[in-house]
Amino acid sequence: MDKLKVSINHATAHFTGNEMTALLPEVTAAKEHLLKGDAPGNDFLGWVDLPATIDPAIVGRIKAEAERLSSISRLMVVVGIGGSYLGARMVIEALQSEFASMEKREKPFIVYAGNTLAEDYYHQLLSLLDHEDYSVCVISKSGTTTEPAVAFRIVKAHLEQKYGKAAAAQRIVAITDARRGALHDIASQEGYPMYVIPDNVGGRYSVLTPVGLLPIAMAGYNIDRMLAGARDMRDICINNNTLDDNPALLYAAVRNLLYRKGLKVEMLVSAQPNLRYLAEWWKQLYGESEGKDHKGLLPHSLSITTDLHSMGQYMQDGERMMMETMLRVDRPNSSVEIPSDEKNLDGINYLIGKSLTQINDCAVEGTIKAHVDGGVPVVEITVGKIDEYTLGQLIYFFEFACGVSGYTLGVNPFDQPGVESYKRNMFHLLGKPGF
Ligand code: PA5
C-alpha cells in the first residue's frame, strides 16, 4: 500500500534543524495526551481508536441500510452542517465523477441540505425532489442545530406529502445522540432507523462514525477500505515517536514552528479539483480546533492551477504571512491522451508524449519553486492515488495531527465555544423563547 509522506524540504530555509528537533518533546508530549486522555477535551477522544474498534456489526448494518435505501432511491438528501456533513461530502466528491449529477448512475446521487438557510436553495431542492425518488439521511449530534432542523422539517413535509407518512418513514434515517436531543426524540417517535454518534466523538472528528459512513456507503463507496486506510494510518501515528517515522508529528511540528516564527495563514493547495471538499473539511477541522484564545494559523485553501490565475499573484507577491501545504497525488486513476495536431497552431505539440499528470506535476513543481523563491515555506503531503484507502489515511492523518498540533499550540482542540455567539444573536433576532 502507498504510504502517506510528509516532506519539509521546501520549508527548512525558515528555521534551523535544532529548532525543529527542539519541538520533538512538545509534539510527543501532545501525542501522549491524546493517547492517555489526560488533557483538556479528554472526553472527546473516541476518534483516536475508532478505526480499530468500530463494531463490525454496525458497519454491516450501515452497508445493509445503504443497500436498502439505494434500491428505492435515485437521490439521497443528506441533512447536516459542519462536522455532521463535511466529512461525507469530502469523500463523496473526491471519489465521484466531477460530472456525476449529469450521469446515469447505479447508486443514488447525494444532495445536501441543512448547511444553508437560503430560501432559493430550498426552493430549487424541492423542485428537484418533486421529480425524483429520494430518501433522507438527517444528521445532528446535538439534534437541536437550527439549520438542519429547519431543512429537515421542510424536506420531511415534502417526503410525507409525496409518499404518505408511513412510506416516508421507511425513507428516513437519523444519525444522532444515543439518548437526547430533538432529533433523537423525533426519530424515536416516528420509528426511523437510528444510528448513534458516540458521546466521545465530536462533530469534526466524526467522519468514521455513521455520520460519514452511511452517506458514503449510500453513494456506493467501499467503507471497509476507507476504515482500513484509517486503521493503517492510526498504527503509524500512535506507534512512532520520531519526526522521520511519524508524519503526523512532523506536520504538527512544522506548522507550530512556522506559526511561532510569525506566520499567520496556512494555505492548503491541491492540483486535484475533486479534493476541494477535502480542503473544506480540513479548514473546519483546523479552524475550529485551533482558532481560539486569539491563537492559531488561519486555514485557507487554493485549487490549482485554477487559482494560480487569481490568488497566485498574492501567494507570489503579497504580504509574507503564510505557509503552504501542498497536497500531492502521485498517480491518476485513469489516463487521457493529448492528441497530436499536424498544424500545431496552438503551439503545444511539444507536450505530445507527456501525460496530463506529468504536465500537472510540472505545474505543481513550478508552483512550489516559485512560491519558495517568493519566500513561502512549502510543506508537501504526498499520497498514492485518490481512492477510499487513501482518503481513510488522510482523514486519520489530519485528525491525529490536529490533536497533536492543538495541544502543542496550547489550546483544547476538541471544543468550539466561539460558534455559540452567532447563534445567540440569531435566536434573539428571531425571538426564540429564552433569548
Ligand atoms: O464540529 C462540530 O462540532 C460542529 O461543526 C458541528 O458538527 C456542527 O455545529 C453541527 O452540530 P450538530 O451535529 O450537533 O448538528
Side-chain angles (χ1 to χ4, degrees):
M1 281 306 149
D2 292 307
K3 267 192 169 177
L4 177 152
K5 289 181 276 244
V6 173
S7 163
I8 60 167
N9 291 343
H10 292 301
T12 48
H14 294 257
F15 47 79
T16 66
N18 285 346
E19 284 174 313
M20 193 65 184
T21 317
L23 255 165
L24 182 62
E26 286 189 55
V27 289
T28 43
K31 173 188 165 230
E32 287 311 307
H33 289 319
L34 288 181
L35 299 185
K36 289 192 185 133
D38 59 359
N42 56 0
D43 41 354
F44 285 102
L45 291 174
W47 58 272
V48 174
D49 291 329
L50 200 59
T53 57
I54 188 164
D55 183 353
I58 292 183
V59 178
R61 210 184 130 210
I62 286 171
K63 288 194 278 188
E65 193 80 72
E67 274 303 311
R68 180 185 76 78
L69 291 170
S70 297
S71 68
I72 54 171
S73 319
R74 272 181 40 85
L75 282 184
M76 161 69 97
V77 185
V78 172
V79 180
I81 195 166
S84 287
Y85 132 87
L86 278 167
R89 188 162 195 176
M90 132 178 96
V91 173
I92 292 165
E93 301 245 345
L95 296 174
Q96 77 185 1
S97 160
E98 291 282 5
F99 311 101
S101 67
M102 304 295 289
E103 286 179 341
K104 285 207 165 65
R105 299 172 55 83
E106 278 174 27
K107 294 290 178 183
F109 184 69
I110 312 294
V111 294
Y112 302 90
N115 59 341
T116 175
L117 291 166
E119 191 145 11
D120 288 347
Y121 185 92
Y122 288 99
H123 184 266
Q124 290 159 12
L125 178 63
L126 293 179
S127 303
L128 174 71
L129 299 180
D130 280 344
H131 309 290
E132 300 285 356
D133 275 320
Y134 72 98
S135 303
V136 181
C137 177
V138 53
I139 309 171
S140 176
K141 181 164 185 189
S142 63
T144 54
T145 308
T146 309
E147 293 91 331
V150 168
F152 184 54
R153 187 181 281 202
I154 293 170
V155 174
K156 177 175 180 276
H158 184 276
L159 192 76
E160 287 177 351
Q161 213 220 340
K162 181 165 175 148
Y163 294 100
K165 203 167 163 55
Q170 303 297 310
R171 290 175 175 269
I172 298 174
V173 187
I175 304 177
T176 189
D177 186 87
R179 287 172 294 277
R180 36 181 188 267
L183 180 57
H184 171 272
D185 298 345
I186 296 172
S188 307
Q189 283 192 22
E190 305 276 10
Y192 305 150
M194 226 193 300
Y195 292 82
V196 167
I197 308 171
D199 283 345
N200 60 359
V201 180
R204 58 190 175 276
Y205 293 83
S206 70
V207 54
L208 299 176
T209 72
V211 170
L213 298 178
L214 183 56
I216 293 165
M218 270 292 291
Y221 299 112
N222 187 332
I223 55 175
D224 293 319
R225 293 294 300 145
M226 196 171 91
L227 287 167
R231 213 161 29 242
D232 289 351
M233 183 50 68
R234 173 181 171 274
D235 287 345
I236 293 168
C237 289
I238 69 171
N239 292 322
N240 294 295
N241 278 327
T242 71
L243 297 178
D244 285 339
D245 292 338
N246 191 326
L249 291 190
L250 180 58
Y251 177 54
V254 74
R255 61 197 302 285
N256 270 276
L257 185 51
L258 291 168
Y259 178 66
R260 289 178 195 182
K261 293 267 173 192
L263 299 185
K264 300 287 181 216
V265 175
E266 179 177 3
M267 197 65 80
L268 185 72
V269 182
S270 167
Q272 307 293 331
N274 56 350
L275 295 184
R276 63 187 166 275
Y277 267 90
L278 189 139
E280 295 304 312
W281 171 82
W282 170 87
K283 278 189 240 176
Q284 188 210 355
L285 183 62
Y286 281 78
E288 219 173 14
S289 298
E290 292 197 322
K292 47 197 74 158
D293 308 336
H294 295 181
K295 293 200 266 192
L297 281 165
L298 170 68
H300 198 351
S301 64
L302 296 181
S303 181
I304 64 170
T305 62
T306 312
D307 292 335
L308 293 177
H309 299 260
S310 57
M311 287 289 287
Q313 174 60 39
Y314 195 104
M315 287 300 287
Q316 195 65 42
D317 263 350
E319 181 147 5
R320 302 298 73 188
M321 60 177 175
M322 78 285 272
M323 63 174 284
E324 179 168 336
T325 297
M326 182 68 80
L327 181 51
R328 303 189 66 162
V329 178
D330 257 348
R331 300 185 304 284
N333 285 303
S334 41
S335 68
V336 174
E337 283 197 1
I338 299 176
S340 65
D341 184 320
E342 241 176 60
K343 287 191 181 156
N344 192 27
L345 292 177
D346 51 16
I348 58 169
N349 268 359
Y350 73 100
L351 296 175
I352 288 170
K354 292 189 169 64
S355 70
L356 270 175
T357 294
Q358 283 171 315
I359 300 168
N360 208 17
D361 281 345
C362 289
V364 170
E365 292 290 344
T367 302
I368 291 174
K369 184 169 176 350
H371 291 175
V372 168
D373 290 346
V376 177
V378 179
V379 173
E380 289 165 86
I381 298 173
T382 306
V383 295
K385 60 177 181 155
I386 299 172
D387 60 13
E388 290 93 331
Y389 182 86
T390 296
L391 289 165
Q393 284 183 311
L394 280 167
I395 288 167
Y396 197 88
F397 163 78
F398 277 127
E399 288 182 350
F400 198 87
C402 189
V404 172
S405 183
Y407 279 147
T408 305
L409 180 67
V411 299
N412 172 358
F414 306 110
D415 66 359
Q416 52 284 327
V419 300
E420 294 308 314
S421 306
Y422 95 91
K423 292 184 194 169
R424 276 195 300 275
N425 294 341
M426 179 174 81
F427 292 152
H428 173 71
L429 291 167
L430 288 169
K432 183 174 176 172
F435 290 83

